[in-house]
Amino acid sequence: MTTNSNTTTNLESAISTGLLITDNDLNDLIKIQGDLVRKLKAEKAPSEQITEAINKLVSLKKELSDHQAINGEEQTTGGEKLLKTPRGTRDYHPGQMKIREQVFQIITDCFKRHGAETIDTPVIELTSLLTEKYGEDSKLIYELKDQGGAEQLALRYDLTVPFARYIAENRIATMKRYHIGKVYRRDNPKMTRGRYREFYQCDFDIAGDFDLMVPDAECIKIVVEILDKLDLGQYKIYINHRKLLDAIFAVCGVPDSHFRPISSSVDKLDKTPWHVVRNEMINEKGLSPEVADKIWSYVQMHGNADLIDKLRTDVQLMTQKSAREALDGLEILFRYLTLYGVMDKITFDLKLARGLDYYTGVIFEAVLTKYQYDPQLGDDQVAVGSVAGGGRYDELVHKIDPRQRRVPCIGASIGVERIFAIKEHQMTESKIQTKTIETEVYVASAQKNLIEERMKLCSYLWANDFKAEMALKRNPKMLDQLQYCEKNQIELCVIIGSGELEAGIVKIRDVGTREEFEIPRAQLVEQLRVYLTKVRQRIQESSSKTNNN
């Protein structure tokens, strides 16, 4: 039983940390878990324990099914092919799309408020551009099958390297830009944790040679503004500096060639216990136990700006020029963030590493306090990792540009997929129905053969910039029309009949209160705007009371 237990632990660890595993591994886990279920039943264990074991078995079987689908194995059910989205992707229903639109709008408005312009780049790039830019994560790049052409292509992994290519190709010296687009990663997805294979990134970057820490402070300020506006709950922004981390590695005895691999190991400390990371450093990356333990003595340190003074008392660390430069820069950054009024959100954390190879200076990540992932709770929890992050990458354009121009850059990326997961969870908990269509006025008829009158009235409303619609049947039932309005939270319903047409009036129905008013048809546009304002004020007041409760 000990061997089985160790096997289970190792395989589950591989799955949870995103490592790609085989069907045989999953079959082994399923067999072990099945044996456990049978054992618990035979021993008449508590029903809660049996149910938990069964649920885990079902989850593993689904994992195997999804894994087979990724590798091209057809799934069938009752002799028919199973219709499903590829693993790590998802459809978005109208209610979910409404949330996405609102989130995108908040983010875009913030980017524009800070003077950014937008660009777009292809979702496919030359494979040579993407390789050797992401460190160990390069294995997650989706390379496309050769179609007989001269170019080797891959799906873009992020929006940063394409931006550096754009800067180099167009010989741009300074630019403040934002970019919202899909990226692709051959990752082992965890949908409940907001980790997908196809997902959106929302990036804000400042390219150009500016004064120390001024652009860096603005990028972090933007992250704070967006997270405050999204109202996701309490959060912290963790900040570190790549030069400081490299200096720590140097004084600990890490060879220069191992800086990036060890940095990738340190980056796992937010979700992996130290003893696991230590084992990786020693057994997989060749560090001695003494060096690994010395690294731990540094990276467990965190605090506020006062930590800078403490580190400056470390004589050995201060022999490193890069450490002195980093601490001087961080002191300036924290002063600017204090001026921006966001320092209360900041934690200076030496274990923050961010695994991508192209970072050269300040790095940062934002984490929601309420939704941090707890490994002990498993994958049923609504929890995500960082919801925003970024850093300085001063050498990336230089490495890409054939002319070897240097264009320093700093950027922030908003993890919108993880934010969507949290917003959807919040909407479910609040039990508030999302209005998924924009229609504000519905044109209805109380009698038959009035479709042409309804069409004329709709056309009139559209011409006056109202969002309006009507039933697409010649003679719809009145009850069906009113129920459609209530179901879709349409604010007003304009009702016409032969009597109203003869009298030159229309009837306006407040869908929420079901009150009805008659007005002259000549005053329709003016009165509709008055009534819409009243209805929206009432809805807003009601929503505020619900949120406060």
Side-chain angles (χ1 to χ4, degrees), residues 293-307:
D293 291 338
K294 193 169 183 181
I295 291 172
W296 174 240
S297 70
Y298 280 103
V299 299
Q300 63 181 306
M301 299 170 67
H302 62 274
N304 53 27
D306 293 341
L307 182 55

Side-chain angles (χ1 to χ4, degrees), residues 133-151:
K133 305 297 189 302
Y134 304 107
E136 293 183 2
D137 282 355
S138 291
K139 65 179 181 292
L140 303 180
I141 294 172
Y142 265 116
E143 295 190 36
L144 302 179
K145 185 177 180 181
D146 182 18
Q147 299 294 326
E151 296 180 330

Side-chain angles (χ1 to χ4, degrees), residues 194-260:
R195 193 165 76 196
Y196 302 91
R197 288 183 158 183
E198 176 194 63
F199 57 94
Y200 274 99
Q201 280 192 339
C202 297
D203 281 15
F204 175 96
D205 292 80
I206 300 174
D209 193 3
F210 301 105
D211 285 344
L212 183 65
M213 294 298 168
V214 177
D216 310 58
E218 184 169 6
C219 284
I220 295 169
K221 170 67 171 172
I222 285 170
V223 171
V224 171
E225 288 181 6
I226 289 172
L227 293 182
D228 284 347
K229 192 75 174 178
L230 288 171
D231 194 22
L232 298 166
Q234 291 186 335
Y235 62 89
K236 294 296 292 183
I237 298 178
Y238 298 96
I239 292 180
N240 200 4
H241 200 296
R242 266 294 178 83
K243 287 185 178 180
L244 178 59
L245 203 57
D246 287 350
I248 288 171
F249 293 157
V251 299
C252 290
V254 178
D256 291 358
S257 60
H258 283 51
F259 279 10
R260 291 289 74 85

Side-chain angles (χ1 to χ4, degrees), residues 262-441:
I262 296 304
S263 181
S264 294
S265 296
V266 171
D267 190 50
K268 298 174 182 177
L269 284 170
D270 63 333
K271 54 185 177 294
T272 307
W274 164 243
H275 72 273
V276 176
V277 174
R278 181 179 185 273
N279 182 66
E280 178 182 298
M281 288 180 175
I282 296 169
N283 296 325
E284 296 181 26
K285 299 186 177 177
L287 292 189
S288 69
E290 294 76 20
V291 171
D293 291 338
K294 193 169 183 181
I295 291 172
W296 174 240
S297 70
Y298 280 103
V299 299
Q300 63 181 306
M301 299 170 67
H302 62 274
N304 53 27
D306 293 341
L307 182 55
I308 294 175
D309 293 332
K310 181 178 179 180
L311 291 171
R312 281 177 171 153
T313 65
D314 187 323
V315 177
Q316 190 177 13
L317 185 62
M318 288 301 96
T319 62
Q320 300 291 318
K321 180 182 178 183
S322 60
R324 298 194 300 272
E325 291 177 348
L327 292 175
D328 290 345
L330 287 170
E331 186 173 35
I332 295 171
L333 175 64
F334 292 153
R335 185 161 69 247
Y336 291 162
L337 294 177
T338 300
L339 292 172
Y340 278 145
V342 302
M343 197 58 200
D344 60 314
K345 306 285 200 310
I346 305 302
T347 296
F348 179 17
D349 192 344
L350 294 189
K351 74 173 178 295
L352 177 65
R354 292 191 64 79
L356 302 179
D357 276 6
Y358 52 62
Y359 288 122
T360 59
V362 167
I363 50 178
F364 54 89
E365 280 188 358
V367 177
L368 301 178
T369 306
K370 183 179 177 181
Y371 298 103
Q372 285 183 278
Y373 181 70
D374 184 348
Q376 295 182 348
L377 297 180
D379 289 331
D380 291 332
Q381 62 186 306
V382 178
V384 296
S386 62
V387 293
R392 177 160 287 281
Y393 52 103
D394 288 346
E395 299 298 325
L396 188 55
V397 175
H398 172 70
K399 290 179 179 178
I400 290 172
D401 195 336
R403 296 170 294 279
Q404 295 190 317
R405 293 185 313 127
R406 276 189 165 82
V407 181
C409 297
I410 175 77
S413 182
I414 309 299
V416 286
E417 301 292 353
R418 296 176 176 184
I419 289 171
F420 295 150
I422 298 302
K423 295 297 284 185
E424 287 172 19
H425 174 69
Q426 290 178 336
M427 290 296 291
T428 301
E429 280 194 327
S430 67
K431 298 181 180 178
I432 296 175
Q433 185 179 355
T434 304
K435 179 176 166 67
T436 59
I437 63 174
E438 296 290 327
T439 305
E440 54 194 0
V441 180

